[in-house]
Amino acid sequence: MSGLRKKKGAGVGLVMELRRGVSASRTGRKAGPVPATGVLERLVVDEFWVAIRRLGQHRLPTFAGIDPYGDTVLRGEAVDQMVRELEGSDFARLTSAEREVMVTVLAWGLRCRADRDLRIAFSGD
């Protein structure tokens, strides 16, 4: 899922972005192109908060710190925790639109685990 999408549904809208930060060090890497930085993928959704409620907010404590009207960035250990929480969730309880959002966040989390320069940003609108 790439590009900017607006999905219709109940709840407060949220912009989710997969971002690449600037690497602190390229030591030990072979010469070559520097990976792109900034926003790699963006999704604008309404279903996120409904999906969190359906899955059980108490089962997804990483998402408790996300301000629906502010900005939050997850990286490192926070992403690891989020992935563990989502992998233990029952997505069958979600509508197809809600499931698509949560599967995307999980996929981004897995990418962040493999590449520590990636992070997931949430911005309320």
Side-chain angles (χ1 to χ4, degrees):
M1 273 185 236
S2 62
L4 178 66
R5 281 199 226 178
K6 175 68 178 171
K7 298 197 166 218
K8 300 292 182 191
V12 176
L14 187 71
V15 177
M16 301 186 322
E17 296 176 336
L18 178 64
R19 298 179 183 168
R20 178 180 304 283
V22 177
S23 179
S25 170
R26 287 182 45 90
T27 304
R29 293 186 185 175
K30 294 181 180 179
V34 176
T37 60
V39 176
L40 303 178
E41 294 186 43
R42 176 178 292 152
L43 190 61
V44 181
V45 296
D46 292 326
E47 297 85 3
F48 181 81
W49 300 112
V50 175
I52 297 301
R53 282 193 299 277
R54 282 187 205 270
L55 293 172
Q57 291 173 317
H58 62 284
R59 293 185 177 119
L60 301 166
T62 300
F63 295 116
I66 296 175
D67 180 352
Y69 301 103
D71 298 327
T72 305
V73 177
L74 299 179
R75 64 179 148 263
E77 181 55 38
V79 168
D80 292 341
Q81 179 65 33
M82 179 202 74
V83 167
R84 286 189 297 272
E85 293 167 9
L86 289 175
E87 286 178 332
S89 296
D90 180 10
F91 290 170
R93 302 173 63 187
L94 304 175
T95 66
S96 63
E98 295 163 357
R99 186 171 28 262
E100 181 181 351
V101 170
M102 300 315 289
V103 165
T104 298
V105 174
L106 176 57
W108 288 359
L110 293 169
R111 286 176 65 184
C112 289
R113 280 173 130 184
D115 181 346
R116 291 300 186 173
D117 290 337
L118 294 178
R119 57 205 49 151
I120 302 172
F122 300 88
S123 299
D125 63 350

